[in-house]
Amino acid sequence: MTLEIITPDKKIYSGQVKLVQLPGSMGSFEILNHHAPIVSTLDKGKIKVEEENGQTLFFEIEGGIVENKDNKIIVLAELV
């Protein structure tokens, strides 16, 4: 899967991932390979990213929006 995390200032992440955990407005959720298409609002919290090479990254956000379609995830977010 391809993930892009974009803030109003710049793109802060772009890469191939195997898992993304997000702080959804209705609770935390994960997106894995071949996830159904989704658009959701995000609350304040941490985005957990597991890259294909096994590295785990965290991004603290104030809120935002996520879209997943055809294994491409785009997160528009405000960083803390």
Side-chain angles (χ1 to χ4, degrees), residues 48-63:
K48 177 183 176 183
V49 176
E50 287 188 18
E51 296 182 308
E52 288 189 346
N53 65 10
Q55 185 175 2
T56 301
L57 306 171
F58 293 92
F59 300 92
E60 188 80 27
I61 64 168
E62 285 290 332

Side-chain angles (χ1 to χ4, degrees), residues 15-39:
Q16 295 295 313
V17 300
K18 57 183 174 181
L19 176 144
V20 181
Q21 187 177 61
L22 301 149
S25 297
M26 302 293 281
S28 179
F29 65 97
E30 292 182 352
I31 298 177
L32 299 167
N33 204 19
H34 302 296
H35 193 284
I38 186 172
V39 174

Side-chain angles (χ1 to χ4, degrees), residues 5-13 75 77 79:
I5 301 175
I6 303 167
T7 70
D9 299 328
K10 62 184 175 180
K11 185 185 299 186
I12 62 165
Y13 182 85
V75 176
L79 291 182

